[in-house]
Amino acid sequence: MIDLHYWPTPNGKKVTILLEEAGIPYNIVPVNIGRGDQFTPAFLKMNPNHRMPVMVDNTPTGGGEPIVIFESGAIMLYLAEKVGRFYPQDLRGKYAVTEWLIWQMANQGPKLGECGHFRRLGDKQGDQTYAVRRFTDEANRLYGVLNNRLY
């Protein structure tokens, strides 16, 4: 059984979508980031970066002690390999999936988050026009990259 230490962040949602698609049974262990639950000693032991989500596989393939994995991309690779779906093992297929997973983790996720942050911030912290323009332009560029791939 998988325990997913979770709060409904985009990274947490990615993992729950894969768990559902793969048909893997799991338990949600709420970690309320508004309260700061991610800074407790128990959580920091699992994830020194104190971010969502963290997965504990209590029944890892091959048996043995539970395995703890943090970072949504690493969790998704683990789960896909565990069920033998969504992550081809032939060289070209494997790296086609890997490059798009890393593209999302390094580009789409952070840049859309930054865009949303500065757009919501407004001028409370000073003039944000440069940041809004920069991250909006980058978000639009990334949507173009994704749309071209999907096309």
Side-chain angles (χ1 to χ4, degrees):
M1 177 64 74
I2 301 288
D3 289 329
L4 185 64
H5 297 258
Y6 172 89
W7 199 245
T9 64
N11 286 324
K13 289 176 183 180
K14 286 184 269 194
V15 172
T16 56
I17 290 168
L18 181 57
L19 285 163
E20 291 289 332
E21 287 293 321
I24 301 171
Y26 64 99
N27 296 314
I28 295 288
V29 180
V31 180
N32 185 329
I33 63 175
R35 268 194 326 238
D37 292 355
Q38 74 276 25
F39 296 106
T40 65
F43 190 84
L44 288 171
K45 184 176 178 186
M46 293 185 292
N47 183 351
N49 195 36
H50 61 81
R51 296 282 192 242
M52 292 299 108
V54 171
M55 182 209 69
V56 179
D57 185 352
N58 294 294
T59 55
T61 303
E65 294 295 314
I67 184 168
V68 179
I69 301 174
F70 67 94
E71 290 296 330
S72 58
I75 294 168
M76 292 190 303
L77 288 173
Y78 175 86
L79 293 171
E81 286 185 323
K82 181 176 175 99
V83 297
R85 295 174 55 208
F86 308 110
Y87 194 45
Q89 293 304 296
D90 68 281
L91 185 66
R92 286 170 180 77
K94 181 177 188 173
Y95 282 95
V97 170
T98 301
E99 68 187 359
W100 282 102
L101 176 68
I102 291 174
W103 173 85
Q104 190 284 318
M105 304 303 298
N107 292 281
Q108 183 191 27
K111 297 307 178 213
L112 270 58
E114 291 158 348
C115 179
H117 170 81
F118 286 107
R119 292 178 73 85
R120 284 188 305 274
L121 187 63
D123 289 334
K124 290 185 268 181
Q125 302 295 323
D127 181 15
Q128 302 299 318
T129 54
Y130 171 77
V132 168
R133 184 176 61 253
R134 187 212 184 293
F135 290 114
T136 299
D137 289 350
E138 183 63 4
N140 288 329
R141 185 189 75 76
L142 291 168
Y143 280 129
V145 171
L146 182 59
N147 281 336
N148 285 337
R149 172 63 177 148
L150 292 172
Y151 178 74

